[in-house]
Amino acid sequence: MVAGGIYTAVTFLQRSETLITERCTATGSGGDDLSTDQAANASLITAVAVRRGLPARAASIALATSMQESKLRNIGHGDQAGPDSRGLFQQRPSQGWGTPAQVMDPYHASNAFYDALVEVSGYESLDITVAAQRVQRSAYPEAYAQHEVMARAFASALSGQTPAGLDCSLRSPDAAGNPAAVTAGLTAALGDVTASTDGRTLLVEAEGTQAWAVGQWAVANAKELEITSVEVEGRAWNRQSRDGWQPAQVPAGQVRVTVADAPGT
């Protein structure tokens, strides 16, 4: 009888896992959620802006542009933008955005977009549609506006301007995580960070908006990096509880990112 009960419980948990729709949402997004791969790309695009010292408005413009051009996916084929357009922003090597390999590199593509954006006078106060069009010169400039609410919300959360503003609903990890992989991804996105490890936990020295940028980058990349919990400034996100950011005892000036030590944990 006990064995049968255990089997039933395990089966129920397995079915519950398969019913979970893995999505990420941002406070104020108006219900416009992102899939986990889209959220990871959004976190990278926003992190590049943070690393460059650009305002969240720059990231908003970039996210709206990428959503319209590629659905926030690093696609290797062209569309209406042109037969040779590629990547997160559908940039065209024939128009000077870089080599085919470069425009497929999300870091190069994001930096190339921001290089062009900062040349637009007063872009911070322009409508997203206007600013994006001056960079992209799209045949459908009005289309960027439909992504503005989503872009603002995710840019604000991922840049750290909205604490506890990003939440992802995920299934249990498929494999053990590696704190070194988290460090490598975080450094590639946001630049050098002061970090150490304590078992399966990465400890990052950061505070204020930088701490929240680090923490919410980790949540956005939790699926790929097998992250199970993130703790920032008195709040914690737990993958298995799936109840968003909750109060927690977290040391000031430190972000704690913990990875799975085995599949399903």
Side-chain angles (χ1 to χ4, degrees):
M1 192 71 175
V2 173
I6 293 174
Y7 174 80
T8 301
V10 170
T11 302
F12 175 77
L13 289 173
Q14 290 174 337
R15 288 190 60 195
S16 297
E17 285 283 303
T18 62
L19 292 174
I20 295 170
T21 300
E22 296 189 304
R23 305 289 287 178
C24 296
T25 188
T27 301
S29 65
D32 291 328
D33 295 346
L34 297 181
S35 64
T36 55
D37 65 314
Q38 290 175 314
N41 285 328
S43 76
L44 185 151
I45 292 169
T46 305
V48 172
V50 171
R51 187 172 183 173
R52 292 175 61 130
L54 299 177
R57 179 65 172 176
S60 296
I61 297 167
L63 294 183
T65 301
S66 182
M67 177 57 86
Q68 176 59 30
E69 299 293 350
S70 72
K71 300 300 182 186
L72 274 169
R73 293 189 166 98
N74 196 31
I75 55 179
H77 56 80
D79 60 8
Q80 69 268 19
D84 65 334
S85 56
R86 299 288 186 276
L88 288 171
F89 297 92
Q90 286 292 281
Q91 294 161 334
R92 300 182 65 183
S94 62
Q95 294 186 351
W97 288 101
T99 66
Q102 285 176 325
V103 298
M104 283 298 295
D105 175 358
Y107 299 96
H108 173 90
S110 298
N111 274 301
F113 180 87
Y114 290 126
D115 285 344
L117 180 64
V118 297
E119 294 299 317
V120 176
S121 179
Y123 76 85
E124 300 98 323
S125 58
L126 293 176
D127 288 343
I128 280 183
T129 295
V130 174
Q133 173 63 3
R134 290 190 183 175
V135 174
Q136 297 293 107
R137 303 194 181 283
S138 169
Y140 307 96
E142 69 284 350
Y144 298 116
Q146 64 187 308
H147 307 299
E148 181 169 1
V149 173
M150 176 281 298
R152 283 179 182 271
F154 277 89
S156 183
L158 290 165
S159 64
Q161 301 299 315
T162 301
L166 181 77
D167 183 28
C168 293
S169 177
L170 306 174
R171 301 185 187 104
S172 297
D174 294 323
N178 183 353
V182 179
T183 303
L186 182 60
T187 300
L190 286 165
D192 291 336
V193 294
T194 302
S196 60
T197 57
D198 180 10
R200 311 299 296 179
T201 300
L202 178 69
L203 311 176
V204 182
E205 294 183 20
E207 57 185 1
T209 58
Q210 183 70 8
W212 281 106
V214 169
Q216 293 181 128
W217 174 92
V219 172
N221 289 274
K223 180 176 175 62
E224 179 181 357
L225 295 173
E226 312 295 356
I227 292 169
T228 57
S229 68
V230 181
E231 300 169 84
V232 188
E233 294 192 339
R235 304 291 291 276
W237 173 89
N238 186 283
R239 180 175 183 150
Q240 290 188 311
S241 67
R242 304 186 184 98
D243 55 3
W245 292 89
Q246 298 297 316
Q249 295 295 321
V250 184
Q254 185 182 87
V255 179
R256 301 169 61 89
V257 181
T258 302
V259 300
D261 59 6
T265 62

